[in-house]
Structures are given as structure tokens and as C-alpha cells.
Amino acid sequence: MKTILIIDPDLNLLGVLCHALEMNNYEAIGYSGHELELINLIQSIAPSLILINLSLPSDKSVEWCCRMKFLYPNLPIVAMSCNENIFKKKNRWIFDANIGKPFDLISLYALIERHIGIT
């Protein structure tokens, strides 16, 4: 079973996304903590893919993506945002893909499968 790490400050959304991914045979782990703990978590669970909300406070999501790409260049990162323009403004090289909110589960599953496949 492949593991997907979801980074989002909204605990309700984390719960929904984790449940949706588990229904599609992924192990899903939600995270809303600090960057230092995030790096330790990535090391311990070795996720196959990261989903990150680009609306984290103080634009931390982009900083976190840069740091994760530096440490784990082969780890796919999928950015999520309700602001479609953010994908044009940000350095897209730090994201392997993006998905605009709201999104349907079929689109999310297809995006994940393109990057890591399904077990």
C-alpha cells in the first residue's frame, strides 16, 4: 500500500481527504504541524506522494515545498489551492502537479495514479 502525506491546516479537510484516499487503497496521513516535525515525519513514513495546500499561513507551503524538493528531489508534490492564479505566480518547478479546489475525487485519483500508481 502506497502512502500519501496530506499537508493542510484544515483538520476537517484532512479527515475527508484521508478517508477518500483510504477508500482508493492508499494509506493517507494528514499533517498540520510545524516544518521541523514535517521533515521527521517524511523520514519516518517515506511517503510516495505529498498533497499540500498552498494556502498555509504566511505562504509557508511554498517554503515547505522548496525544502522538501531539496531534501527529497524524487518525491512527487501535488499542490492544492482554491486560487487557480497561484499556480501561475509560484515557481512551478517545486510542484510536480497541481489541482484546483474544489476538485472531484475522480480527478484527484487520476492525478495521483499518474504520479505513483495504485497498489
Side-chain angles (χ1 to χ4, degrees):
M1 183 177 292
K2 296 188 179 184
T3 302
I4 298 174
L5 177 60
I6 307 163
I7 304 168
D8 197 305
D10 184 337
L11 296 178
N12 292 323
L13 183 59
L14 280 177
V16 169
L17 285 173
C18 285
H19 181 70
L21 292 174
E22 289 165 355
M23 288 179 7
N24 207 41
N25 297 321
Y26 293 108
E27 178 181 13
I29 297 173
Y31 184 78
S32 63
H34 299 287
E35 181 182 9
L36 293 176
E37 296 165 354
L38 174 63
I39 300 302
N40 291 335
L41 179 61
I42 292 170
Q43 290 173 343
S44 68
I45 66 170
S48 299
L49 181 135
I50 293 177
L51 285 173
I52 187 167
N53 184 346
L54 287 187
S55 64
L56 290 173
S58 304
D59 210 23
K60 285 289 183 191
S61 54
V62 173
E63 291 176 33
W64 288 13
C65 287
C66 289
R67 177 95 170 124
M68 288 182 286
K69 271 301 182 189
F70 177 77
L71 294 172
Y72 308 100
N74 297 320
L75 177 59
I77 297 175
V78 175
M80 304 178 290
S81 180
C82 58
N83 180 356
E84 288 288 330
N85 291 327
I86 199 166
F87 300 128
K88 297 173 188 164
K89 295 178 189 175
K90 301 299 178 187
N91 293 326
R92 293 226 34 235
W93 62 268
I94 60 175
F95 314 123
D96 295 282
N98 60 66
I99 189 166
K101 293 182 192 173
F103 51 82
D104 60 75
L105 292 179
I106 293 170
S107 298
L108 179 63
Y109 296 151
L111 180 64
I112 291 169
E113 289 176 21
R114 280 196 304 272
H115 288 279
I116 64 172
I118 190 163
T119 56

